[in-house]
Amino acid sequence: MSSTDNNNNNLRSVVLGVGSYLPEKILTNADLEKMVDTTSDWIVQRTGIQQRHIAADGETTSMLGIKAAQKALASAGVDADSIDLVICATSTPDYTFPAAATQIQAGLGITKGVAFDLQAVCSGFVFGVTTADKFLRSGSHKRALVIGAETFSRLLDWEDRTTCVLFGDGAGAIVLEAQERGGDGRGVLSTHLRSDGRHREKLYVDGGPSSTKTVGHLRMLGKDVFRHAVGQVGDVMLDSFREAGVDAERLDWFVPHQANARIIDASAEKLGIAAEKVVKTVQLHGNTSAASIPLALDVAVRDGRIKKGDLVMIEAVGGGFTWGAAVIRW
Ligand code: UT7
């Protein structure tokens, strides 16, 4: 799927603002040493993770999403009621239905337009940006909020050391607006998505309304996911570079899904992206699934690394498998 499909007008989806929110409670590796048979050294060496945030009892995905969206709207300098498209990428909605996006829409006081969830696990934010970009460039919608929000702590088997040390909770959001293509070249330049449903058993949740009538726990064959994450994502990244007419040299920032520092480093190296262009937040956030990229984008915008006009690539791999990449002139 390419962003130039059906691209018969002069519109581009331009980033107006970004925001994020992390729950107050921090769970450190030292805390985990007291909960399961692990060591901080193992976690840091194998993943780079030092800490993660955990939602409080009663603090839901949509609550995190609302706070991230409010910050994104403030950074964009636009009112909530100017938003006519809300997409929430999540695998941990408050309820089986309605969509978390509708809860976020209501929480922000938006009563027009459309809101829906998008489920592509850790690739959800890239899928969300891609979907919003197609809505905006079609001319059907004007201003979108794309949110990645997760409470993965609720899906974890806290006795399984191979998974419970990896994930955290959080939310991030961006505001995109349909604008006439300008001379500054800003906007989403290219998007590419893939999925291959044959790999379900490598990363899945062993419950659901239609199978077990329970929420279930996350299960993962870590090595297989690692191999796929490093081995196969190159295709969407290269396609995105090619379509945007850029290459790794010209990229200013690489903001990948934050699952594991080793996966991030290996992917960047494979594509020839210099280490100093890589935004890494996995050490502080853990793997927050669909929230990880907008959380990392917000960190890098706030600390002054990502500036208007910079060329940014986002990229992710997730359960399914799903994977995708997008090139954005910020
Ligand atoms: O967001 C997309 C989804 N997820 C990912 O992208 C994650 C992809 N996979 C990974 O990041 C890595 O595969 C892991 C971090 C999950 C695991 O790293 P690994 O280098 O592949 O380790 P491994 O699974 O081969 O395990 C090595 C050893 C095993 O012991 P033996 O069999 O060698 O004796 C594990 O039992 O480490 C053991 N181990 C642990 N030891 C201490 C597994 N988990 C832990 C732990 N603490 N938490």
Side-chain angles (χ1 to χ4, degrees):
M1 190 154 80
S2 111
S3 69
T4 46
D5 296 343
N6 308 318
N7 186 7
N8 54 9
N9 62 33
N10 212 23
L11 293 173
R12 276 251 170 95
S13 310
V14 174
V15 177
L16 297 187
V18 59
S20 66
Y21 178 77
L22 289 158
E24 264 174 44
K25 183 182 168 187
I26 291 175
L27 188 69
T28 64
N29 291 352
D31 295 330
L32 280 162
E33 284 179 349
K34 295 180 202 128
M35 296 164 63
V36 285
D37 179 17
T38 192
T39 62
S40 183
D41 283 350
W42 188 95
I43 301 171
V44 171
Q45 277 170 19
R46 301 288 174 134
T47 72
I49 300 168
Q50 290 164 5
Q51 61 169 53
R52 68 288 290 143
H53 291 247
I54 303 291
D57 285 346
E59 191 174 32
T60 65
T61 291
S62 69
M63 291 178 192
L64 305 183
I66 288 167
K67 287 183 174 153
Q70 284 167 334
K71 292 187 180 179
L73 289 166
S75 109
V78 301
D79 291 331
D81 64 8
S82 69
I83 300 290
D84 55 4
L85 174 64
V86 180
I87 298 177
C88 180
T90 188
S91 304
T92 47
D94 305 15
Y95 302 100
T96 301
F97 75 76
T102 59
Q103 304 304 291
I104 294 170
Q105 183 193 31
L108 295 171
I110 303 170
T111 54
K112 68 174 186 193
V114 62
F116 57 87
D117 282 0
L118 195 154
Q119 221 280 46
V121 205
C122 299
S123 311
F125 186 74
V126 180
F127 277 55
V129 166
T130 302
T131 305
D133 178 49
K134 289 177 189 294
F135 270 75
L136 293 174
R137 284 186 306 102
S138 78
S140 67
H141 292 72
K142 294 262 177 287
R143 209 175 260 173
L145 250 175
V146 182
I147 302 143
E150 302 278 18
T151 46
F152 256 53
S153 62
R154 308 266 155 77
L155 289 180
L156 299 176
D157 174 351
W158 287 99
E159 292 179 0
D160 175 11
R161 68 174 184 171
T162 69
T163 53
C164 76
V165 303
L166 303 174
F167 295 90
D169 301 335
I174 61 169
V175 181
L176 292 170
E177 181 180 70
Q179 291 183 7
E180 288 294 323
R181 214 173 274 238
D184 57 8
R186 292 184 63 216
V188 176
L189 305 186
S190 63
T191 59
H192 283 83
L193 305 180
R194 285 292 321 279
S195 63
D196 184 344
R198 290 174 298 176
H199 300 282
R200 181 190 64 87
E201 80 288 354
K202 290 172 187 153
L203 177 53
Y204 71 108
V205 170
D206 63 5
S210 175
S211 53
T212 59
K213 298 186 267 184
T214 63
V215 171
H217 289 122
L218 182 147
R219 305 294 175 203
M220 178 167 72
L221 300 175
K223 266 204 187 320
D224 289 318
V225 179
F226 194 106
R227 233 173 272 132
H228 172 78
V230 177
Q232 269 185 278
V233 289
D235 59 356
V236 288
M237 292 168 69
L238 286 173
D239 284 347
S240 295
F241 275 146
R242 201 171 300 124
E243 189 179 309
V246 298
D247 56 24
E249 284 274 294
R250 288 170 64 191
L251 198 66
D252 293 300
W253 301 107
F254 178 49
V255 189
H257 169 50
Q258 309 282 318
N260 182 323
R262 287 157 57 213
I263 295 178
I264 294 172
D265 293 342
S267 308
E269 197 184 323
K270 202 171 161 187
L271 270 286
I273 300 168
E276 61 271 19
K277 294 180 177 178
V278 180
V279 176
K280 228 185 273 178
T281 49
V282 67
Q283 66 281 8
L284 298 176
H285 302 163
N287 181 347
T288 58
S289 188
S292 89
I293 291 174
L295 273 160
L297 286 170
D298 191 36
V299 166
V301 168
R302 276 189 290 116
D303 69 19
R305 273 179 287 176
I306 297 179
K307 296 182 204 65
K308 213 181 225 188
D310 281 355
L311 199 61
V312 178
M313 171 176 269
I314 59 173
E315 169 271 325
V317 181
F321 289 137
T322 55
W323 63 108
V327 174
I328 304 167
R329 176 75 65 191
W330 200 261

PDB file of all heavy atoms in Angstrom, residues 269-296:
ATOM      1  N   GLU A 269      21.587   0.076  11.584  1.00  0.00           N
ATOM      2  CA  GLU A 269      22.847  -0.283  10.928  1.00  0.00           C
ATOM      3  C   GLU A 269      22.591  -0.909   9.559  1.00  0.00           C
ATOM      4  O   GLU A 269      23.250  -0.573   8.565  1.00  0.00           O
ATOM      5  CB  GLU A 269      23.618  -1.259  11.829  1.00  0.00           C
ATOM      6  CG  GLU A 269      25.076  -1.362  11.450  1.00  0.00           C
ATOM      7  CD  GLU A 269      25.800  -2.394  12.292  1.00  0.00           C
ATOM      8  OE1 GLU A 269      25.493  -2.518  13.497  1.00  0.00           O
ATOM      9  OE2 GLU A 269      26.664  -3.089  11.716  1.00  0.00           O
ATOM     10  N   LYS A 270      21.590  -1.806   9.517  1.00  0.00           N
ATOM     11  CA  LYS A 270      21.266  -2.490   8.269  1.00  0.00           C
ATOM     12  C   LYS A 270      20.890  -1.507   7.156  1.00  0.00           C
ATOM     13  O   LYS A 270      21.206  -1.706   5.999  1.00  0.00           O
ATOM     14  CB  LYS A 270      20.085  -3.421   8.541  1.00  0.00           C
ATOM     15  CG  LYS A 270      19.972  -4.542   7.562  1.00  0.00           C
ATOM     16  CD  LYS A 270      18.931  -5.536   8.004  1.00  0.00           C
ATOM     17  CE  LYS A 270      18.533  -6.361   6.787  1.00  0.00           C
ATOM     18  NZ  LYS A 270      17.434  -7.235   7.065  1.00  0.00           N
ATOM     19  N   LEU A 271      20.186  -0.443   7.550  1.00  0.00           N
ATOM     20  CA  LEU A 271      19.733   0.541   6.553  1.00  0.00           C
ATOM     21  C   LEU A 271      20.754   1.653   6.340  1.00  0.00           C
ATOM     22  O   LEU A 271      20.508   2.590   5.580  1.00  0.00           O
ATOM     23  CB  LEU A 271      18.393   1.145   7.016  1.00  0.00           C
ATOM     24  CG  LEU A 271      17.103   0.439   6.575  1.00  0.00           C
ATOM     25  CD1 LEU A 271      16.832   0.704   5.095  1.00  0.00           C
ATOM     26  CD2 LEU A 271      17.165  -1.069   6.788  1.00  0.00           C
ATOM     27  N   GLY A 272      21.874   1.607   7.055  1.00  0.00           N
ATOM     28  CA  GLY A 272      22.908   2.625   6.883  1.00  0.00           C
ATOM     29  C   GLY A 272      22.557   3.950   7.539  1.00  0.00           C
ATOM     30  O   GLY A 272      23.006   5.015   7.091  1.00  0.00           O
ATOM     31  N   ILE A 273      21.749   3.901   8.597  1.00  0.00           N
ATOM     32  CA  ILE A 273      21.370   5.132   9.308  1.00  0.00           C
ATOM     33  C   ILE A 273      22.361   5.347  10.454  1.00  0.00           C
ATOM     34  O   ILE A 273      22.556   4.456  11.292  1.00  0.00           O
ATOM     35  CB  ILE A 273      19.929   5.029   9.863  1.00  0.00           C
ATOM     36  CG1 ILE A 273      18.926   4.807   8.722  1.00  0.00           C
ATOM     37  CG2 ILE A 273      19.564   6.275  10.679  1.00  0.00           C
ATOM     38  CD1 ILE A 273      17.525   4.413   9.178  1.00  0.00           C
ATOM     39  N   ALA A 274      22.988   6.508  10.489  1.00  0.00           N
ATOM     40  CA  ALA A 274      24.018   6.786  11.497  1.00  0.00           C
ATOM     41  C   ALA A 274      23.423   6.756  12.908  1.00  0.00           C
ATOM     42  O   ALA A 274      22.296   7.206  13.124  1.00  0.00           O
ATOM     43  CB  ALA A 274      24.640   8.152  11.234  1.00  0.00           C
ATOM     44  N   ALA A 275      24.200   6.226  13.857  1.00  0.00           N
ATOM     45  CA  ALA A 275      23.713   6.030  15.229  1.00  0.00           C
ATOM     46  C   ALA A 275      23.212   7.332  15.868  1.00  0.00           C
ATOM     47  O   ALA A 275      22.244   7.325  16.628  1.00  0.00           O
ATOM     48  CB  ALA A 275      24.819   5.429  16.083  1.00  0.00           C
ATOM     49  N   GLU A 276      23.853   8.467  15.522  1.00  0.00           N
ATOM     50  CA  GLU A 276      23.449   9.729  16.164  1.00  0.00           C
ATOM     51  C   GLU A 276      22.105  10.258  15.649  1.00  0.00           C
ATOM     52  O   GLU A 276      21.541  11.194  16.221  1.00  0.00           O
ATOM     53  CB  GLU A 276      24.547  10.799  16.035  1.00  0.00           C
ATOM     54  CG  GLU A 276      24.917  11.188  14.617  1.00  0.00           C
ATOM     55  CD  GLU A 276      26.031  10.303  14.034  1.00  0.00           C
ATOM     56  OE1 GLU A 276      26.262   9.210  14.554  1.00  0.00           O
ATOM     57  OE2 GLU A 276      26.648  10.734  13.035  1.00  0.00           O
ATOM     58  N   LYS A 277      21.567   9.623  14.598  1.00  0.00           N
ATOM     59  CA  LYS A 277      20.257  10.043  14.084  1.00  0.00           C
ATOM     60  C   LYS A 277      19.111   9.218  14.692  1.00  0.00           C
ATOM     61  O   LYS A 277      17.948   9.427  14.362  1.00  0.00           O
ATOM     62  CB  LYS A 277      20.217   9.864  12.565  1.00  0.00           C
ATOM     63  CG  LYS A 277      21.151  10.770  11.801  1.00  0.00           C
ATOM     64  CD  LYS A 277      21.026  10.505  10.313  1.00  0.00           C
ATOM     65  CE  LYS A 277      21.917  11.465   9.524  1.00  0.00           C
ATOM     66  NZ  LYS A 277      21.846  11.185   8.087  1.00  0.00           N
ATOM     67  N   VAL A 278      19.457   8.254  15.555  1.00  0.00           N
ATOM     68  CA  VAL A 278      18.448   7.339  16.091  1.00  0.00           C
ATOM     69  C   VAL A 278      17.900   7.872  17.414  1.00  0.00           C
ATOM     70  O   VAL A 278      18.668   8.164  18.325  1.00  0.00           O
ATOM     71  CB  VAL A 278      19.053   5.931  16.303  1.00  0.00           C
ATOM     72  CG1 VAL A 278      18.002   4.982  16.866  1.00  0.00           C
ATOM     73  CG2 VAL A 278      19.634   5.394  15.000  1.00  0.00           C
ATOM     74  N   VAL A 279      16.578   8.022  17.499  1.00  0.00           N
ATOM     75  CA  VAL A 279      15.943   8.444  18.753  1.00  0.00           C
ATOM     76  C   VAL A 279      15.582   7.189  19.540  1.00  0.00           C
ATOM     77  O   VAL A 279      14.856   6.327  19.048  1.00  0.00           O
ATOM     78  CB  VAL A 279      14.677   9.291  18.480  1.00  0.00           C
ATOM     79  CG1 VAL A 279      13.973   9.627  19.791  1.00  0.00           C
ATOM     80  CG2 VAL A 279      15.047  10.567  17.717  1.00  0.00           C
ATOM     81  N   LYS A 280      16.123   7.105  20.764  1.00  0.00           N
ATOM     82  CA  LYS A 280      15.915   5.914  21.578  1.00  0.00           C
ATOM     83  C   LYS A 280      15.343   6.301  22.934  1.00  0.00           C
ATOM     84  O   LYS A 280      15.937   7.107  23.653  1.00  0.00           O
ATOM     85  CB  LYS A 280      17.264   5.215  21.767  1.00  0.00           C
ATOM     86  CG  LYS A 280      17.219   3.732  21.505  1.00  0.00           C
ATOM     87  CD  LYS A 280      18.530   3.082  21.817  1.00  0.00           C
ATOM     88  CE  LYS A 280      19.509   3.102  20.663  1.00  0.00           C
ATOM     89  NZ  LYS A 280      20.809   2.506  21.001  1.00  0.00           N
ATOM     90  N   THR A 281      14.198   5.749  23.281  1.00  0.00           N
ATOM     91  CA  THR A 281      13.580   6.023  24.590  1.00  0.00           C
ATOM     92  C   THR A 281      13.242   4.728  25.321  1.00  0.00           C
ATOM     93  O   THR A 281      12.674   4.765  26.406  1.00  0.00           O
ATOM     94  CB  THR A 281      12.279   6.844  24.413  1.00  0.00           C
ATOM     95  OG1 THR A 281      11.480   6.209  23.413  1.00  0.00           O
ATOM     96  CG2 THR A 281      12.556   8.271  23.996  1.00  0.00           C
ATOM     97  N   VAL A 282      13.612   3.594  24.703  1.00  0.00           N
ATOM     98  CA  VAL A 282      13.244   2.296  25.279  1.00  0.00           C
ATOM     99  C   VAL A 282      13.803   2.138  26.695  1.00  0.00           C
ATOM    100  O   VAL A 282      13.195   1.495  27.551  1.00  0.00           O
ATOM    101  CB  VAL A 282      13.705   1.150  24.340  1.00  0.00           C
ATOM    102  CG1 VAL A 282      15.211   1.047  24.254  1.00  0.00           C
ATOM    103  CG2 VAL A 282      13.082  -0.172  24.742  1.00  0.00           C
ATOM    104  N   GLN A 283      14.943   2.777  26.974  1.00  0.00           N
ATOM    105  CA  GLN A 283      15.547   2.659  28.298  1.00  0.00           C
ATOM    106  C   GLN A 283      14.638   3.234  29.390  1.00  0.00           C
ATOM    107  O   GLN A 283      14.627   2.758  30.517  1.00  0.00           O
ATOM    108  CB  GLN A 283      16.937   3.333  28.327  1.00  0.00           C
ATOM    109  CG  GLN A 283      16.970   4.837  28.136  1.00  0.00           C
ATOM    110  CD  GLN A 283      16.827   5.285  26.679  1.00  0.00           C
ATOM    111  OE1 GLN A 283      16.552   4.483  25.803  1.00  0.00           O
ATOM    112  NE2 GLN A 283      16.998   6.579  26.437  1.00  0.00           N
ATOM    113  N   LEU A 284      13.856   4.243  29.046  1.00  0.00           N
ATOM    114  CA  LEU A 284      13.004   4.914  30.037  1.00  0.00           C
ATOM    115  C   LEU A 284      11.552   4.452  30.013  1.00  0.00           C
ATOM    116  O   LEU A 284      10.844   4.542  31.017  1.00  0.00           O
ATOM    117  CB  LEU A 284      13.028   6.432  29.792  1.00  0.00           C
ATOM    118  CG  LEU A 284      14.393   7.093  29.931  1.00  0.00           C
ATOM    119  CD1 LEU A 284      14.300   8.572  29.557  1.00  0.00           C
ATOM    120  CD2 LEU A 284      14.917   6.928  31.359  1.00  0.00           C
ATOM    121  N   HIS A 285      11.087   4.005  28.837  1.00  0.00           N
ATOM    122  CA  HIS A 285       9.654   3.683  28.680  1.00  0.00           C
ATOM    123  C   HIS A 285       9.370   2.199  28.576  1.00  0.00           C
ATOM    124  O   HIS A 285       8.221   1.795  28.724  1.00  0.00           O
ATOM    125  CB  HIS A 285       9.093   4.356  27.410  1.00  0.00           C
ATOM    126  CG  HIS A 285       9.250   5.842  27.385  1.00  0.00           C
ATOM    127  ND1 HIS A 285       9.133   6.582  26.236  1.00  0.00           N
ATOM    128  CD2 HIS A 285       9.498   6.733  28.374  1.00  0.00           C
ATOM    129  CE1 HIS A 285       9.326   7.866  26.508  1.00  0.00           C
ATOM    130  NE2 HIS A 285       9.557   7.969  27.803  1.00  0.00           N
ATOM    131  N   GLY A 286      10.388   1.361  28.294  1.00  0.00           N
ATOM    132  CA  GLY A 286      10.120  -0.031  27.941  1.00  0.00           C
ATOM    133  C   GLY A 286       9.376  -0.064  26.614  1.00  0.00           C
ATOM    134  O   GLY A 286       9.331   0.926  25.877  1.00  0.00           O
ATOM    135  N   ASN A 287       8.789  -1.222  26.310  1.00  0.00           N
ATOM    136  CA  ASN A 287       8.009  -1.365  25.080  1.00  0.00           C
ATOM    137  C   ASN A 287       6.556  -0.990  25.387  1.00  0.00           C
ATOM    138  O   ASN A 287       5.863  -1.728  26.083  1.00  0.00           O
ATOM    139  CB  ASN A 287       8.121  -2.814  24.579  1.00  0.00           C
ATOM    140  CG  ASN A 287       7.359  -3.047  23.290  1.00  0.00           C
ATOM    141  OD1 ASN A 287       6.555  -2.219  22.874  1.00  0.00           O
ATOM    142  ND2 ASN A 287       7.602  -4.190  22.671  1.00  0.00           N
ATOM    143  N   THR A 288       6.116   0.146  24.871  1.00  0.00           N
ATOM    144  CA  THR A 288       4.736   0.591  25.107  1.00  0.00           C
ATOM    145  C   THR A 288       3.867   0.352  23.865  1.00  0.00           C
ATOM    146  O   THR A 288       2.856   1.039  23.661  1.00  0.00           O
ATOM    147  CB  THR A 288       4.675   2.079  25.503  1.00  0.00           C
ATOM    148  OG1 THR A 288       5.288   2.861  24.463  1.00  0.00           O
ATOM    149  CG2 THR A 288       5.390   2.346  26.816  1.00  0.00           C
ATOM    150  N   SER A 289       4.270  -0.595  23.040  1.00  0.00           N
ATOM    151  CA  SER A 289       3.493  -1.001  21.862  1.00  0.00           C
ATOM    152  C   SER A 289       3.134   0.218  20.994  1.00  0.00           C
ATOM    153  O   SER A 289       4.028   0.982  20.647  1.00  0.00           O
ATOM    154  CB  SER A 289       2.257  -1.786  22.318  1.00  0.00           C
ATOM    155  OG  SER A 289       1.586  -2.345  21.223  1.00  0.00           O
ATOM    156  N   ALA A 290       1.866   0.412  20.681  1.00  0.00           N
ATOM    157  CA  ALA A 290       1.487   1.484  19.745  1.00  0.00           C
ATOM    158  C   ALA A 290       1.832   2.883  20.247  1.00  0.00           C
ATOM    159  O   ALA A 290       1.845   3.841  19.469  1.00  0.00           O
ATOM    160  CB  ALA A 290      -0.007   1.412  19.443  1.00  0.00           C
ATOM    161  N   ALA A 291       2.106   3.008  21.545  1.00  0.00           N
ATOM    162  CA  ALA A 291       2.411   4.336  22.099  1.00  0.00           C
ATOM    163  C   ALA A 291       3.883   4.703  21.944  1.00  0.00           C
ATOM    164  O   ALA A 291       4.265   5.864  22.130  1.00  0.00           O
ATOM    165  CB  ALA A 291       2.025   4.388  23.579  1.00  0.00           C
ATOM    166  N   SER A 292       4.734   3.739  21.599  1.00  0.00           N
ATOM    167  CA  SER A 292       6.171   3.992  21.740  1.00  0.00           C
ATOM    168  C   SER A 292       6.697   5.047  20.759  1.00  0.00           C
ATOM    169  O   SER A 292       7.537   5.865  21.123  1.00  0.00           O
ATOM    170  CB  SER A 292       6.959   2.684  21.614  1.00  0.00           C
ATOM    171  OG  SER A 292       7.301   2.392  20.282  1.00  0.00           O
ATOM    172  N   ILE A 293       6.208   5.040  19.522  1.00  0.00           N
ATOM    173  CA  ILE A 293       6.732   6.021  18.550  1.00  0.00           C
ATOM    174  C   ILE A 293       6.281   7.446  18.890  1.00  0.00           C
ATOM    175  O   ILE A 293       7.126   8.350  18.938  1.00  0.00           O
ATOM    176  CB  ILE A 293       6.364   5.621  17.096  1.00  0.00           C
ATOM    177  CG1 ILE A 293       7.147   4.367  16.705  1.00  0.00           C
ATOM    178  CG2 ILE A 293       6.650   6.765  16.117  1.00  0.00           C
ATOM    179  CD1 ILE A 293       6.772   3.787  15.344  1.00  0.00           C
ATOM    180  N   PRO A 294       4.986   7.701  19.139  1.00  0.00           N
ATOM    181  CA  PRO A 294       4.638   9.086  19.483  1.00  0.00           C
ATOM    182  C   PRO A 294       5.265   9.547  20.798  1.00  0.00           C
ATOM    183  O   PRO A 294       5.573  10.732  20.953  1.00  0.00           O
ATOM    184  CB  PRO A 294       3.105   9.074  19.544  1.00  0.00           C
ATOM    185  CG  PRO A 294       2.710   7.650  19.701  1.00  0.00           C
ATOM    186  CD  PRO A 294       3.772   6.853  19.003  1.00  0.00           C
ATOM    187  N   LEU A 295       5.485   8.617  21.744  1.00  0.00           N
ATOM    188  CA  LEU A 295       6.209   8.994  22.969  1.00  0.00           C
ATOM    189  C   LEU A 295       7.629   9.435  22.616  1.00  0.00           C
ATOM    190  O   LEU A 295       8.120  10.462  23.115  1.00  0.00           O
ATOM    191  CB  LEU A 295       6.268   7.811  23.938  1.00  0.00           C
ATOM    192  CG  LEU A 295       5.091   7.651  24.897  1.00  0.00           C
ATOM    193  CD1 LEU A 295       5.027   6.223  25.441  1.00  0.00           C
ATOM    194  CD2 LEU A 295       5.198   8.641  26.056  1.00  0.00           C
ATOM    195  N   ALA A 296       8.289   8.684  21.745  1.00  0.00           N
ATOM    196  CA  ALA A 296       9.668   9.027  21.364  1.00  0.00           C
ATOM    197  C   ALA A 296       9.707  10.317  20.543  1.00  0.00           C
ATOM    198  O   ALA A 296      10.602  11.151  20.721  1.00  0.00           O
ATOM    199  CB  ALA A 296      10.293   7.873  20.579  1.00  0.00           C
TER     200      ALA A 296
END
